[in-house]
Amino acid sequence: MKKTLYVLFGILFLVNNTVFAKQEAPKQDFFNKYFFDVHLINSASQIAEAKKNPNQRFLERLMTHSLQYNDVQSINVESNSGLQRLFSINDGFQERVLRKVVYWLNNSDRVNEKIEVSLDNPSNKLTLKMANNEVITIEPAYTCVVHNKREICTTKEGELIVSENRQKVRLKSQSLYDWLNVGWRKEVDGLTKEELLEEALFTRYLYHLGPSYSDFFMCPKINIEPINGDPRRHLIFGSALNYLGHHGGDYDKLTFSISDSNLTGLKVTNVKIEKHISQEESEKQCRTFD
């Protein structure tokens, strides 16, 4: 009798454990899925955060097109004849040069061919000093051939070598290549005549919006179109960023339109302020290059 009871008890125990295990399986699946998904989410956020990390290696950020112009403290360009120029982020006009160079780097293409040669004394050499004290050098890419037992090296059109310590990457950027060869010598420490005229016109029309808009004078842009082809009547479109955004935080963007006629005078037709615009939008507003 006791043996029969033991056998029945054992069967009931096994059945009960089997049912319990089946009931718990979905919970275990949910548990695994929850923590696995959280791990994936954390990994994605870590990748996004790494792109924002100013201490991330320069070449890593270059390959992900995530360089920021304010990560660069200064740019020095020197020719093999000894001519050189320094552009600093602490100078309002020179800062635009930093924006331009970083924009070209972010929009460059990787060249997967072998880096043939790096000259000790290239025709022009660009040195970037970064906020994290890294020093990056950029120089034209060269191709060398031996002719009559003499090595002749010529620059590879549109191609550059970027060096970080002993690591080198070959890039193609026609705009940066042209600037490194010639353009840096022609950079103006101040506004061009066209920019001075644009600022004067912008200030004239901004005045008619009233004093509450006086902070919007960063990176002004203005476009003037005749109304129905009449040279006496024009429609003015203006835009600019607020100066306070330059000292931290996000920029606000002002856009307005005004009809200007020597028959009826000035009339404001539209005014709009866009709060906390993205960094991409602010750079687009300030960009004066392709």
Side-chain angles (χ1 to χ4, degrees):
M1 184 67 178
K2 288 183 179 180
K3 289 182 179 181
T4 304
L5 290 174
Y6 286 144
V7 171
L8 289 173
F9 178 77
I11 292 171
L12 289 172
F13 179 78
L14 289 172
V15 170
N16 186 55
N17 278 353
T18 303
V19 172
F20 179 77
K22 288 181 179 179
Q23 291 175 341
E24 287 296 314
K27 293 182 180 180
Q28 183 65 39
D29 289 342
F30 172 80
F31 179 85
N32 291 338
K33 182 178 186 301
Y34 172 79
F35 281 98
F36 181 71
D37 288 348
V38 168
H39 174 72
L40 287 180
I41 292 170
N42 287 339
S43 297
S45 64
Q46 287 170 357
I47 292 171
E49 201 62 33
K51 292 183 179 180
K52 300 177 183 178
N53 181 9
N55 293 319
Q56 189 181 24
R57 305 287 294 184
F58 180 90
L59 291 182
E60 293 174 5
R61 304 191 75 172
L62 177 61
M63 292 301 98
T64 56
H65 310 284
S66 58
L67 293 171
Q68 304 293 328
Y69 80 91
N70 49 13
D71 290 338
V72 184
Q73 293 299 296
S74 65
I75 288 176
N76 186 69
V77 192
E78 184 175 6
S79 70
N80 55 9
S81 62
L83 182 66
Q84 62 179 316
R85 287 191 66 178
L86 179 69
F87 303 96
S88 170
I89 197 171
N90 298 318
D91 183 286
F93 294 112
Q94 295 175 7
E95 177 188 313
R96 298 191 299 176
V97 175
L98 273 66
R99 287 177 180 266
K100 182 162 54 177
V101 169
V102 170
Y103 171 79
W104 286 330
L105 285 169
N106 276 332
N107 287 274
S108 63
D109 296 316
R110 177 78 180 269
V111 178
N112 291 319
E113 298 177 16
K114 179 183 177 182
I115 298 174
E116 296 184 19
V117 66
S118 180
L119 300 186
D120 294 332
N121 190 27
S123 58
N124 293 289
K125 182 177 180 180
L126 187 155
T127 303
L128 286 74
K129 183 178 179 182
M130 309 300 293
N132 61 3
N133 293 322
E134 274 192 295
V135 176
I136 309 299
T137 60
I138 301 175
E139 59 192 72
Y142 284 86
T143 299
C144 296
V145 295
V146 177
H147 182 68
N148 294 331
K149 298 182 179 181
R150 181 183 176 187
E151 188 177 52
I152 301 174
C153 297
T154 56
T155 59
K156 188 79 171 176
E157 180 69 22
E159 294 189 12
L160 303 159
I161 304 298
V162 181
S163 303
E164 178 183 22
N165 296 325
R166 295 184 179 181
Q167 289 185 292
K168 297 180 183 293
V169 171
R170 187 170 169 180
L171 300 178
K172 186 172 184 63
S173 171
Q174 189 66 51
S175 296
L176 183 54
Y177 174 87
D178 292 339
W179 185 85
L180 181 56
N181 280 324
V182 179
W184 62 276
R185 304 177 188 226
K186 299 181 179 180
E187 291 289 350
V188 180
D189 284 329
L191 296 174
T192 63
K193 290 181 179 180
E194 292 78 10
E195 290 170 328
L196 284 170
L197 177 60
E198 186 173 46
E199 282 207 348
L201 288 171
F202 183 87
T203 303
R204 161 179 157 78
Y205 292 115
L206 182 66
Y207 171 79
H208 290 274
L209 301 185
S212 60
Y213 299 97
S214 60
D215 187 45
F216 290 88
F217 59 85
M218 288 282 294
C219 303
K221 289 187 180 298
I222 199 162
N223 185 40
I224 302 175
E225 298 178 1
I227 300 175
N228 297 327
D230 189 341
R232 298 169 299 174
R233 298 185 301 144
H234 296 86
L235 193 59
I236 290 85
F237 301 94
S239 62
L241 306 180
N242 62 326
Y243 181 73
L244 288 177
H246 185 64
H247 295 283
D250 299 327
Y251 283 105
D252 298 338
K253 181 179 179 180
L254 166 71
T255 57
F256 65 83
S257 58
I258 293 177
S259 62
D260 188 355
S261 169
N262 60 359
L263 302 175
T264 59
L266 291 174
K267 182 180 178 182
V268 178
T269 58
N270 184 40
V271 180
K272 177 184 176 183
I273 293 179
E274 186 179 352
K275 295 283 189 178
H276 308 301
I277 65 173
S278 66
Q279 181 173 335
E280 290 76 14
E281 183 67 21
S282 66
E283 290 182 356
K284 183 178 179 182
Q285 176 69 27
C286 293
R287 188 183 305 155
T288 56
F289 46 88
D290 298 323

